[in-house]
Every structure is written in structure tokens, then in C-alpha cells.
Amino acid sequence: MKSMAAFNGREIPKEDKVFAASGKALDAVSKYGPAEVINATVGALYDDEGKLIVLKSVEEVMKSLPPEKYAAYAPIAGTPGFKKAILKAALGNYEPKSFTCVVGTPGGTGAIRNAIANYSCPGDKILTHSWHWAPYKSIAAEMYRGIEHFEMFDEEGRFNIADFEYKVKKLTRNQEHLVIIINTPANNPTGYALTMDDWYGVKRVLDEVPLEKKVALVLDVAYIDFAGEPDEVRKFYGVVDNLRANILPIIAYSASKTFTFYGARCAAMICLAHSPEVAEEFGKVNSFSARATWSNSSRAPQEVIEQIYADEELLAKVEAERAEARNMLLARGRAFEKAAADCGLEIVPFSAGFFVTVPCADPDGLCEKLNEKNVFLIPFDNGVRVSIASSSEDKCRRLPGMIKEAMAALEESAE
Ligand code: PLP
């Protein structure tokens, strides 16, 4: 007997591409030392010396928790104090016009999982953009749904509203429910942020969806607090808040990046519902799903976030520390962009965030070629993803030239 598992139509790869590439990078670091290796595989923020950045103020609160604050079960949808605090964190100074309801989840992953579970049916297609975080597909497959994508950019490099419209119309013709996932700002893997005009385009398309069809618009804002000025990056909420009754915006807000809490598994899903009934139902169905999968989320990070938002001085400290880390990341992005422009390396439209993507015909081949120089990136379908979050500004300045050189060597060897 070689297999006991019921695969149920899921395509389960031998290994996860991200973890395989990052494993290779770590082997190289232990062999040659960190200065000789560029490990641009990781989706977490590292300082210029290669150390994981953990906000000191957050760490202090975490370490001060008494046992009952981390050992006790949290309520299924999260502690009341956490729900209030995370709503404030997600919305910032934006005042919602619609009815909100918060359900805590273990990471943004849990929020996406629950949105798919409760607002689509088995066999449905979930719509997202062509450049997207790979787990969307596995999360959908795990629940017997598929992924359909629209081309994220048109030929001029603008957000492709025409293809978005075509796919929304196509899917709503065949399905009663449609979940749409849009990951912005600081999209993974491109770093793109939808502009206000892009959002007006999205709204126009959604306004035309027949009223008998139900659409959940998942706003995956996992990187929002590293994308730019907090009020500026939240402006788009005003366009999607208070849409027609058949459209339900759901914010998937993760504490993983915002509070440097990756392993603490903390996040929330927040609806912007048209009616109190839909908001209440949101709490009910997503709590049911939580109970049936992970039961309740981890209590400790919820307590930490509640304490931060209950203390103005502490909140100011957290925000100042985060702003410093964000400025470091934004500087890395600008350094990469400039070096790419200087050496003529094409990149996918980028605004800010943890990653930059370089389009190419043979992503696996390019990654292998770069491995020879101790540079480690993640291959996607049509390009390679560079984590500027885990590479110093100096490395961000050097990387475009190295990628350009490896591309040329690869082309030469193919001739
Ligand atoms: N969405 C995107 C685009 C991501 O890149 C990630 C994490 O890398 C997540 C959501 C969810 O992260 P977590 O479950 O750690 O909060």
C-alpha cells in the first residue's frame, strides 16, 4: 500500500514552492554566511542584518500577559475588546456608512477561508486577479471550489477593468453566488495598489450585477499597514462601502504583518453590510464555520491588540515603530524600482509593499540560474517574486542588475 489519502480531486504538489525555495536559501546561508546570500523568498519583514523585525512595543505587551489572558479559550468570534480594537485598526479614521460585524480568525487565511465557505457553493468559481497569492487556489480547492482569474493588467499596464467586467458577467450568469477576492494595496506578489479610478471601475461593474445574484467582495488588505500613509491607503473604503444590497464587502484584515504577529495567527473578517440582518447573519455563519474548523482563535494576540487600543500612549508608540519599519520598506521599494529602471529591467506595475515581481518566460529556469549566485526568489507562473521585505536596501539596489544578467545568460544558453 503506497497511498491511503482521499485526494478528492485536489492537486497536491510534492512541496510548497515558497518553502522549498526558502529552505534552499537557508542552506546557502548556513554554508556561506548571510552577507553572501540574498534570501528574497520570505514574506516577513527583516532588518538589514537579516533579523526578523518584531515591534518592541508589541513584544513588551505580549510578554506582560498573565496566564489567564493567554491560556483561557477566547470566544468563538473573538473577545469583545479585541473585536472593537481590530475594527478600529482595520478602518483607521474611516467612518463606515454600512453595518459592520467582526469575526476573529486565525490569520487572514482564516478570513479568506470563511468568506469562501459561506458566500459560495461547492463547484463555484472564485474570481481573483491573475497575479495572486497562490493559497487562494488551495483554500478554494480544499472546499471543492475552483479559481477563475481576470487579467490584472491591460497592455498599457493599467488595471484591467474590461477583463474584470467580462469575468464578473460570465460567472454571475452561471452562479447564484460569486466571491471576488481583490488583494490591495501592496498586492502580493506585484506591489500594485488599485487607484481610486480602478475602484470606481470595480464599483460600476458591481452596480450592474443583477439584483438576484449575490456577490461577496473580499478585500484582502493583508499588507495595508505597510503600503503608505494610513488614511491615504484606506481612502478606497469610501467607494466600496454602502454598495447595493446584493454586494457584501468583507475586509480580511490580518494582524500578521501589522503587529508583526505572523506566528500568533490573529486576524479578523469584517463585513460592510447593507442591512443589520445581513451583518448579523455574517456573524452567525462565520462563527459557525470557525467552530467547525479551528473552533476559537488564539487568545494572546487578541488581548495584546485590545490593550494597545485601550492605551493612547501605547498605541502611539506602536504606530511610530511601525511607521519606521514602513519607511525602511518603502525606501527599499524605491531603491529596487530605480535600479530596475537604470538597468532596463521590466517590473510588473509596483506601488509599495513586501514584494516586487519581474515578468519572465521561464521563472523556474531564472530562479535556478540566480541560485548559482546565491540569490533566492520565488517562481510564479509568469514571473519571479522578489521579497524586498527580507532584503536590505543595498541588496535591493543590486538585485535588478543581477536578475537582468541572469536573464541574459539564460537566453544565451537557450540559443
Ligand atoms: N493574503 C495575502 C495576499 C498574503 O500574502 C497573506 C500572507 O502571506 C495572507 C493573506 C494571510 O496571511 P496570514 O494568514 O498570515 O494572516
Side-chain angles (χ1 to χ4, degrees):
M1 184 77 69
K2 291 245 171 80
S3 167
M4 287 289 289
F7 283 85
N8 293 326
R10 293 166 305 167
E11 282 169 39
I12 301 185
K14 266 208 182 100
E15 57 181 0
D16 180 291
K17 274 193 174 182
V18 176
F19 289 104
S22 107
K24 275 201 228 168
L26 294 179
D27 286 348
V29 168
S30 55
K31 221 164 158 183
Y32 306 106
E36 300 303 313
V37 177
I38 301 186
N39 179 6
T41 62
V42 194
L45 199 53
Y46 282 70
D47 68 15
D48 288 352
E49 279 67 53
K51 200 162 161 270
L52 183 74
I53 293 180
V54 181
L55 300 181
K56 267 263 161 293
S57 42
V58 173
E59 185 192 337
E60 279 163 20
V61 186
M62 187 75 159
K63 284 185 173 159
S64 74
L65 291 182
E68 65 276 15
K69 297 275 187 195
Y70 59 78
Y73 283 128
I76 302 295
T79 65
F82 163 72
K83 291 203 283 184
K84 218 170 120 207
I86 200 88
L87 183 65
K88 181 81 192 104
L91 298 181
N93 292 321
Y94 180 74
E95 298 273 350
K97 296 187 271 300
S98 35
F99 297 87
T100 59
C101 176
V102 180
V103 175
T105 57
T109 308
I112 291 158
R113 188 256 167 228
N114 270 2
I116 293 176
N118 287 301
Y119 296 98
S120 70
C121 303
D124 278 354
K125 288 275 197 313
I126 310 303
L127 182 64
T128 192
H129 23 67
S130 48
W131 292 106
H132 60 260
W133 188 47
Y136 291 160
K137 189 172 170 202
S138 355
I139 297 168
E142 185 71 8
M143 292 182 287
Y144 312 108
R145 277 80 159 168
I147 287 279
E148 173 107 26
H149 70 249
F150 61 95
E151 284 308 321
M152 190 160 168
F153 301 108
D154 63 16
E155 278 170 7
E156 276 82 50
R158 288 176 312 214
F159 188 71
N160 198 334
I161 285 293
D163 203 38
F164 174 71
E165 179 167 16
Y166 171 70
K167 295 288 162 47
V168 169
K169 284 199 167 137
K170 180 178 136 186
L171 291 174
T172 49
R173 245 195 318 272
N174 302 325
Q175 299 179 186
E176 189 192 339
H177 293 269
L178 175 62
V179 171
I180 302 172
I181 307 175
I182 296 188
N183 170 216
T184 185
N187 167 270
N188 176 5
T190 64
Y192 185 73
L194 269 72
T195 64
M196 290 301 272
D197 273 351
D198 296 339
W199 278 114
Y200 292 129
V202 168
K203 177 174 162 21
R204 181 188 57 75
V205 172
L206 296 179
D207 280 345
E208 287 167 14
V209 171
L211 272 173
E212 68 277 13
K213 303 287 178 164
K214 297 170 181 173
V215 176
L217 174 66
V218 179
L219 309 166
D220 180 356
V221 296
Y223 298 88
I224 194 166
D225 291 309
F226 287 92
E229 200 277 315
D231 288 339
E232 192 61 34
V233 295
R234 284 169 170 77
K235 263 194 179 152
F236 77 94
Y237 286 159
V239 184
V240 293
D241 187 6
N242 217 11
L243 293 176
R244 292 195 317 163
N246 62 329
I247 314 290
L248 179 64
I250 299 171
I251 302 172
Y253 183 73
S254 169
S256 302
K257 281 86 188 168
T258 294
F259 295 92
T260 59
F261 255 166
Y262 313 93
R265 310 310 300 141
C266 183
M269 56 197 307
I270 299 160
C271 70
L272 299 172
H274 199 264
S275 68
E277 292 80 11
V278 169
E280 193 189 328
E281 178 192 68
F282 175 90
K284 201 166 83 182
V285 295
N286 288 298
S287 297
F288 182 91
S289 285
R291 185 65 174 134
T293 45
W294 49 78
S295 189
N296 39 42
S297 296
S298 184
R299 184 172 198 125
Q302 297 189 2
E303 294 285 353
V304 171
I305 293 169
E306 175 179 347
Q307 282 195 30
I308 291 171
Y309 276 82
D311 177 343
E312 266 180 35
E313 216 174 286
L314 178 59
L315 176 61
K317 225 164 121 187
V318 172
E319 287 179 345
E321 254 194 278
R322 188 188 300 125
E324 198 181 312
R326 181 170 58 236
N327 289 339
M328 180 197 73
L329 183 67
L330 294 171
R332 288 178 184 175
R334 284 192 295 271
F336 190 100
E337 260 188 311
K338 177 168 186 317
D342 288 349
C343 73
L345 180 75
E346 186 193 347
I347 61 174
V348 178
F350 168 86
S351 161
F354 278 36
F355 310 107
V356 179
T357 289
V358 177
C360 69
D362 178 8
D364 289 304
L366 181 60
C367 285
E368 276 166 31
K369 196 87 211 148
L370 282 158
N371 291 170
E372 293 168 14
K373 304 267 186 223
N374 277 337
V375 173
F376 298 87
L377 311 179
I378 302 292
F380 269 65
D381 281 349
N382 298 304
V384 292
R385 188 190 79 178
V386 183
S387 167
I388 56 173
S390 66
S391 312
S392 67
E393 190 175 327
D394 173 57
K395 286 177 177 173
C396 287
R397 216 169 272 120
R398 287 193 281 130
L399 268 165
M402 296 175 87
I403 297 171
K404 180 95 181 161
E405 217 172 86
M407 275 177 155
L410 202 61
E411 267 168 34
E412 218 169 85
S413 61
E415 276 163 11

